[in-house]
Every structure is written in C-alpha cells, then in structure tokens.
Amino acid sequence: MTCWKTINLSKDYGFHRLFFLSFLISILAFIVMYVSMQLFFHSRPLEDNGLIYVCLIALLLVPGHQIIHIMALKLMGKKVQTKIVKKGIFPIITIKQCGLLSKPVALLTILAPIMFFSMVLFLFSLMYPAYMHYVSILIAINIGICVSDLLYSYHIFKAPRKCMLDENNGGYDIILYEENM
C-alpha cells in the first residue's frame, strides 16, 4: 500500500478561507437559483408567510447533512461510528467510517447531501412556486454547507481509478495498492 495523497482542507485552505469561499459560493448559488427560477415561474406571485419554517429548516440542514452522510455509508454496507456532542443548544454529529472506501463509494457518500437536499428542495419549488425565493435561499445554504464536500470530491475525482480512501484526523488519505504484491 502506498499513500498517493493526503487531503486535509483545514491545512490546505484554512478555516477562514473555507468559510469565505462557502459564503461566496452560497451567494452565487442564490443568485443563479433565484434568477433561473424567476425566469421559469415569472408569472407567479411570491408569498412571504413561511419565514419561520425556512429558519427552522436552515437550522436543520447541518445535522441533516451529517445524517445523509451516515445513511449513504450504511446503505453501502459500511460500518460507521457516530458521536453526538452538544455544543450550546445545537448537537454536533461527528462521523468516523470504519475501514477503507473505494473511489465510487467515497464520491457517492460525499456528494449524497448536496444531491438529496437540492433535489428535494427543487421538487418543492416545482410543487409550490410561490415559495421559490425561500427554496433558493435553502438551496444556497445547502450548497454553502457542501463546499468542503465539493472540494474533497474534486481531489478524489482526480485520484487514480483503483484507489481506496481512508479517513484520518481532519481529512482523507488516498491509498494505492501496489500491483506486484
């Protein structure tokens, strides 16, 4: 086994740069989603009576994001260790996968939250176009939360096809098996 690359976003980018990048991508995602939905539903009047629900859903996106990661790993038959720590009034869920992940499994589990929440919210906007502005906000928040996942998937996508991923402290190791072993 050979470690091909170690991915640690905290060391590579830093907390403040990741936060700023997430913020900018969230704003850009909101602009793109809102303008495209406004072009699609241009004749529908908007309603503004659901702000409290949007705030509650926005607060639930982070734990929901982690739960989707856990469900994706469990659906793939992988063992997962979870730990819930209460910081302030919000629970923080930490995930530790047990064992190595293949490249397709890793990409699927890393991208599962952005695909799931974006599709559910987009379908909601198709069913209730009067709330498309709220849906645009929630999709933008979801994309902002998923920026680190998108960066991880970018690095994993560039890795060799037969690689395996192992979780380490704060990131992932991309491992290659030698052919003549």
Side-chain angles (χ1 to χ4, degrees):
M1 280 192 312
T2 307
C3 182
W4 184 73
K5 184 176 186 176
T6 299
I7 308 167
N8 189 334
L9 296 181
S10 297
K11 288 183 181 177
D12 293 344
Y13 297 100
F15 172 77
H16 297 291
R17 188 178 291 170
L18 280 174
F19 183 80
F20 186 67
L21 183 64
S22 295
F23 181 73
L24 285 179
I25 289 176
S26 291
I27 290 175
L28 181 65
F30 172 73
I31 291 169
V32 169
M33 289 301 299
Y34 183 74
V35 169
S36 61
M37 286 184 183
Q38 188 68 29
L39 289 172
F40 189 69
F41 301 118
H42 64 280
S43 63
R44 308 283 173 123
L46 300 178
E47 294 185 21
D48 63 349
N49 56 357
L51 184 62
I52 190 75
Y53 299 116
V54 171
C55 293
L56 288 173
I57 292 170
L59 289 175
L60 294 174
L61 276 177
V62 174
H65 178 96
Q66 298 290 31
I67 290 169
I68 296 295
H69 278 306
I70 293 167
M71 287 175 45
L73 283 168
K74 289 196 181 248
L75 285 173
M76 295 290 172
K78 302 296 180 184
K79 292 183 182 178
V80 182
Q81 293 177 349
T82 58
K83 183 178 177 183
I84 301 174
V85 178
K86 191 172 183 183
K87 287 192 176 183
I89 59 171
F90 299 109
I92 305 295
I93 303 171
T94 57
I95 304 168
K96 175 110 173 103
Q97 96 232 359
C98 301
L100 298 174
L101 296 176
S102 66
K103 183 177 176 177
V105 170
L107 284 172
L108 185 64
T109 57
I110 287 174
L111 294 176
I114 194 168
M115 291 185 298
F116 176 77
F117 285 121
S118 296
M119 283 191 286
V120 167
L121 290 169
F122 186 72
L123 289 174
F124 183 82
S125 72
L126 290 177
M127 294 184 334
Y128 303 102
Y131 297 103
M132 69 163 181
H133 54 296
Y134 289 146
V135 171
S136 298
I137 292 169
L138 291 172
I139 289 175
I141 291 170
N142 180 44
I143 291 172
I145 291 169
C146 293
V147 164
S148 60
D149 293 341
L150 294 171
L151 289 171
Y152 278 126
S153 63
Y154 171 74
H155 288 289
I156 294 168
F157 190 74
K158 291 188 339 183
R161 192 172 58 117
K162 299 258 183 189
C163 69
M164 301 294 281
L165 271 82
D166 187 25
E167 188 176 11
N168 64 17
N169 293 336
Y172 293 97
D173 289 329
I174 300 175
I175 298 171
L176 296 176
Y177 286 103
E178 302 209 10
E179 294 290 327
N180 51 359
M181 286 182 93

